[in-house]
Amino acid sequence: MPASERALELVTAAAAAAVDKLATDVTALDVSDQLFITDAFLLASAPNERQVRAIAEAVEEKLLPLGAKPVRREGEREGRWVLLDFIDLVVHVQHAEEREYYALERLWKDCPVIEVPTAAAAPGDAQG
């Protein structure tokens, strides 16, 4: 069974927040067929601990108006790998070194990728 509409809504909003804070390698995976505890993972990287924390904070702020608050939060103090568990979505914001070392995409390579925004729109960019 694919990720729920709710999970996809949260993935899109969380990815947009991460991209707005200049996260790199933003990737979403539909893990619903592999895990019963969540529908999707969002992975994002940053070059330093301060930015890792800023991205995690931005994701939380963006999802709050959607009625989503993390039920679990880990790693904020160290700022190397912050995990935010929104039940339908688990967000992993990792320092680039941790992202490369742990290679979550490789561990979950059999899961479908969910399309997400990959770049923030530049001011003045027109769609159409």
Side-chain angles (χ1 to χ4, degrees):
M1 186 167 110
S4 68
E5 289 298 318
R6 174 68 172 165
L8 296 176
E9 174 187 30
L10 296 178
V11 164
T12 301
V19 167
D20 285 347
K21 286 293 180 182
L22 306 179
T24 57
D25 298 325
V26 178
T27 304
L29 301 172
D30 181 340
V31 296
S32 60
D33 284 341
Q34 305 294 324
L35 294 175
F36 68 93
I37 58 172
T38 192
D39 282 355
F41 281 171
L42 180 71
L43 313 172
S45 300
N48 58 60
E49 292 84 355
R50 186 174 176 191
Q51 193 172 359
V52 167
R53 286 190 289 270
I55 293 165
E57 288 172 13
V59 168
E60 280 194 75
E61 289 173 12
K62 184 82 168 191
L63 297 189
L64 196 56
L66 299 176
K69 288 179 64 174
V71 295
R72 193 174 83 198
R73 181 185 300 121
E74 295 181 12
E76 282 178 304
R77 184 172 303 177
E78 298 82 12
R80 302 284 299 176
W81 182 345
V82 177
L83 180 143
L84 302 170
D85 183 352
F86 294 94
I87 300 176
D88 296 313
L89 167 66
V90 176
V91 178
H92 300 267
V93 184
Q94 297 176 294
H95 189 287
E97 293 171 358
E98 267 69 7
R99 178 80 178 264
E100 185 178 335
Y101 181 80
Y102 289 101
L104 294 178
E105 294 95 333
R106 193 171 57 237
L107 292 173
W108 298 97
K109 67 181 180 219
D110 294 335
C111 296
V113 173
I114 300 169
E115 292 297 319
V116 295
T118 56
D125 278 1
Q127 299 289 327

